[in-house]
């Protein structure tokens, strides 16, 4: 079964087995998708952002839904995702050991909030570079999809408040693996 067919089938099964979901996030999206968008909108986004979206994510947007059902509170529609990319900056989330540098970023972020509101945007750019924010597990955490660098196509999580204890993580899962894992579990009831 191809990716698109499997996601749609699993979501339908999840709705059938659990018509009134009480699970975290599913209460909101109820395993339903927003209407898909055309590939032209995806290409416009890629051109404007300088990022190349992974094929499985493009299939999700154009053949499954432009947001809606997905892990946690679901996925944001393309027009609400935030793309962060500066080709002149390194991809921070590609680094192997980021703990120490993350602490530095967090301190600089805190100082910028006290002194210069415009500076925090530069710091956020440094931390999120090469990613798109596609959803949230809640509070100040964001689910990101890497669209540049060594971790291209992988899912991660990062705290937008840049709290030192919450070091960003890039999971060893592609978008396709991540979304299928979610719907397989949801379909089990």
């Amino acid at each position: 079964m191809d990716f698109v067919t499997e996601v749609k089938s699993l979501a339908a099964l999840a709705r059938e087995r659990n018509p009134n979901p009480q699970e975290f996030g599913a209460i909101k999206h109820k395993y339903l998708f927003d209407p898909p968008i055309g590939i032209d909108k995806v290409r416009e986004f890629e051109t404007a952002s300088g990022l190349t979206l992974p094929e499985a994510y493009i299939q999700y947007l154009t053949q499954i839904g432009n947001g809606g059902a997905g892990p946690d509170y679901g996925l944001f529609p393309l027009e609400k995702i935030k793309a962060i990319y500066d080709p002149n900056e390194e991809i921070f989330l590609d680094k192997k050991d980021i703990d120490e540098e993350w602490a530095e970023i967090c301190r600089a972020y805190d100082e910028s909030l006290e002194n210069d509101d415009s500076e925090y945007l530069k710091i956020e750019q440094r931390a999120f570079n090469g990613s798109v924010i596609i959803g949230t597990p809640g509070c100040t955490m964001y689910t990101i999809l890497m669209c540049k660098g060594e971790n291209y196509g992988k899912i991660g999580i990062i705290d937008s408040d840049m709290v030192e204890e919450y070091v960003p993580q890039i999971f060893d899962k592609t978008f396709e693996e991540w979304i299928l894992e979610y719907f397989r579990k949801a379909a089990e009831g």
Side-chain angles (χ1 to χ4, degrees):
M1 188 178 311
D2 72 357
F3 170 68
V4 171
T5 304
E6 186 171 1
V7 170
K8 287 180 177 181
S9 297
L10 291 168
L13 189 56
R15 285 191 303 275
E16 179 184 309
R17 290 189 174 164
N18 196 354
N20 296 306
Q22 297 302 308
E23 295 85 17
F24 174 77
I27 293 171
K28 179 180 181 262
H29 59 67
K30 297 180 177 23
Y31 307 113
L32 296 170
F33 304 102
D34 296 341
I37 58 171
I39 191 69
D40 57 319
K41 296 288 184 196
V42 173
R43 297 301 181 226
E44 286 172 20
F45 175 86
E46 289 178 319
T47 299
S49 68
L51 297 170
T52 303
L53 300 175
E55 186 57 34
Y57 184 57
I58 293 171
Q59 289 176 329
Y60 179 94
L61 294 169
T62 62
Q63 298 175 46
I64 298 170
N66 181 27
D72 304 317
Y73 288 108
L75 299 183
F76 296 154
L78 185 65
E79 54 276 2
K80 289 190 178 179
I81 69 171
K82 184 174 182 180
I84 303 171
Y85 180 56
D86 180 348
N88 299 314
E89 292 289 329
E90 66 183 342
I91 306 296
F92 169 72
L93 294 168
D94 272 351
K95 295 182 176 191
K96 301 297 181 225
D97 184 17
I98 63 173
D99 291 11
E100 190 174 310
E101 193 168 341
W102 177 249
E104 176 190 318
I105 286 172
C106 293
R107 284 189 293 276
Y109 184 78
D110 288 343
E111 288 173 16
S112 73
L113 292 176
E114 293 173 15
N115 302 321
D116 182 1
D117 285 348
S118 64
E119 187 64 25
Y120 82 91
L121 293 173
K122 292 178 189 172
I123 296 165
E124 181 182 72
Q125 171 81 36
R126 178 178 167 202
F128 285 74
N129 198 32
S131 71
V132 293
I133 298 171
I134 62 170
T136 180
C139 297
T140 60
M141 303 303 279
Y142 284 117
T143 303
I144 58 172
L145 175 59
M146 295 304 298
C147 295
K148 286 287 182 189
E150 292 176 28
N151 289 309
Y152 177 82
K154 293 194 176 165
I155 292 290
I157 193 162
I158 191 168
D159 179 21
S160 66
D161 274 355
M162 302 201 188
V163 175
E164 192 172 338
E165 292 79 35
Y166 302 126
V167 178
Q169 296 178 9
I170 299 296
F171 306 124
D172 195 25
K173 292 180 186 169
T174 64
F175 175 81
E176 182 174 347
E177 292 165 337
W178 177 74
I179 205 85
L180 283 170
E181 179 181 279
Y182 170 77
F183 282 111
R184 286 174 182 146
K185 286 179 183 173
E188 290 173 0

